[in-house]
Amino acid sequence: MRGLKIPYHVAIIMDGNGRWAQKRNLPRIEGHREGAKSVDDVVETARKIGVKYLTLYAFSKDNWKRPKEEVSALINLLRDYLKKEKERMKKNGIRFNVVGDIKDFPKDVQKQIKEVMEYTKDCEKMTLTLALSYSGKNEIVKAVKKIAQLVKKKKLSPKEICQELLQKLMGLPDVELLIRTSGEMRISDFLLWQISYAELYFTKKLWPDFRGKDLIKAIRWFSKRERRFGMTSEQIKKSEGEKT
Ligand code: IPE
Ligand code: IPE
Ligand code: MG
């Protein structure tokens, strides 16, 4: 992939499964099922082109408010996914990771998640993180609570509280490219802390229609962005010139 700058961390808000199904007069779950195929294709492409971190928003904390039937169908899809992909992840060097409240899921799913994480823990090609029962605000609150405890136990001095510490407690690196499908332009409580300088890519494509080639298209767009991090364009050009 000549000329492509591969983002270190790509995060995706996989949206539009319901609308995909609705357009075809199918039940919403059929959209989720087709969306799982997009997950396979996008994971495969990301790994092949050398993305190091891929984080997929699969189920938000607020998605528990959906009809019971839809929630249980989504949990079943997760069960199937973990069962089907466990070996392939290991074979392909994918380390499986989860952010969010795993404890909200049925016991067997919690066990399955832990097993796949353990099974793939030494894989180094790419880290695939699923955000499950995830809330960006809650993630920040949890990190703050951990800090409060450490301070209380005198294991940490308030002076040592810094961005790096919060980042470490939350686990994921900064996102370079954030993609949201389905035409909505909002963050919906996804990785709030980690997207501070992410490039935001919105596409009207619904998630079941978004495949590996669309990821490449997004990365092509990303490659053309000038990321300034507060500096001037001249400064960036100079430092890029120095690098090459
Ligand atoms: C995204 O698709 C999948 C989940 C949130 C689990 P939606 O189910 O939100 O699809 P739309 O937005 O209703 O089309
Ligand atoms: C965000 O999509 C969550 C996931 C993609 C898992 P939603 O469809 O739940 O978000 P809103 O409700 O449109 O903001
Ligand atoms: Mg949606």
Side-chain angles (χ1 to χ4, degrees):
M1 293 283 160
R2 216 177 306 148
L4 274 198
K5 273 191 220 155
I6 304 296
Y8 184 73
H9 185 182
V10 177
I12 309 182
I13 303 174
M14 310 184 288
D15 197 16
N17 295 353
R19 277 162 281 171
W20 185 93
Q22 203 175 25
K23 276 204 324 205
R24 290 164 178 76
N25 282 319
L26 294 167
R28 291 178 59 85
I29 180 62
E30 290 305 324
H32 297 311
R33 207 164 272 149
E34 191 63 27
K37 294 185 195 161
S38 296
V39 171
D40 285 346
D41 204 44
V42 166
V43 169
E44 184 66 7
T45 302
R47 178 185 67 81
K48 278 195 187 143
I49 62 176
V51 170
K52 279 294 171 193
Y53 276 82
L54 176 66
T55 302
L56 304 177
Y57 204 3
F59 194 85
S60 73
K61 195 83 182 172
D62 289 322
N63 288 148
W64 291 109
K65 297 172 190 156
R66 292 195 178 190
K68 267 212 304 284
E69 301 70 42
E70 181 167 347
V71 169
S72 58
L74 281 166
I75 294 176
N76 277 334
L77 275 180
L78 176 62
R79 278 195 186 95
D80 293 347
Y81 181 78
L82 293 170
K83 196 167 154 203
K84 182 168 76 70
E85 294 301 316
K86 185 177 167 186
E87 285 304 330
R88 188 147 67 132
M89 284 192 233
K90 174 100 162 190
K91 195 175 108 236
N92 288 338
I94 295 175
R95 185 171 74 93
F96 179 70
N97 178 40
V98 169
V99 288
D101 293 326
I102 304 178
K103 63 166 178 25
D104 295 342
F105 288 91
K107 283 264 152 43
D108 70 295
V109 177
Q110 293 182 34
K111 191 165 161 254
Q112 232 188 334
I113 289 172
K114 283 179 197 148
E115 271 170 19
V116 181
M117 281 172 65
E118 175 63 29
Y119 191 62
T120 60
K121 72 173 190 311
D122 297 323
C123 294
E124 286 180 343
K125 185 132 173 69
M126 180 175 89
T127 297
L128 168 65
T129 303
L130 291 189
L132 293 170
S133 193
Y134 177 85
S135 150
K137 281 193 174 180
N138 279 356
E139 188 181 42
I140 295 172
V141 170
K142 270 195 248 165
V144 171
K145 278 189 179 163
K146 267 191 216 156
I147 289 177
Q149 267 182 347
L150 291 170
V151 169
K152 197 171 156 213
K153 289 187 190 150
K154 304 237 183 296
K155 286 187 178 156
L156 182 79
S157 142
K159 276 195 220 127
E160 293 171 295
I161 301 171
C162 59
Q163 290 194 12
E164 290 71 24
L165 177 65
L166 266 114
Q167 184 103 17
K168 202 172 134 209
L169 288 174
M170 288 191 261
L172 287 175
D174 278 336
V175 173
E176 294 201 298
L177 171 62
L178 175 76
I179 298 171
R180 182 171 187 146
T181 58
S182 90
E184 309 298 348
M185 295 203 205
R186 56 176 170 261
I187 300 299
S188 303
D189 205 10
F190 197 28
L191 308 163
L192 299 178
W193 173 274
Q194 298 87 344
I195 60 169
S196 64
Y197 268 107
E199 297 294 330
L200 309 179
Y201 181 89
F202 298 101
T203 167
K204 287 211 167 85
K205 275 213 172 174
L206 304 172
W207 177 249
D209 294 324
F210 189 95
R211 297 288 157 106
K213 62 174 186 352
D214 302 293
L215 175 68
I216 305 270
K217 194 173 157 200
I219 293 181
R220 200 155 273 143
W221 171 85
F222 171 85
S223 302
K224 294 197 196 110
R225 308 293 307 158
E226 182 181 64
R227 307 188 69 210
R228 291 193 282 274
F229 300 98
M231 288 176 271
T232 66
S233 187
E234 288 67 30
Q235 287 172 303
I236 295 297
K237 288 202 179 85
K238 190 163 174 272
S239 76
E240 274 176 2
E242 278 161 10
K243 261 186 254 162
T244 51

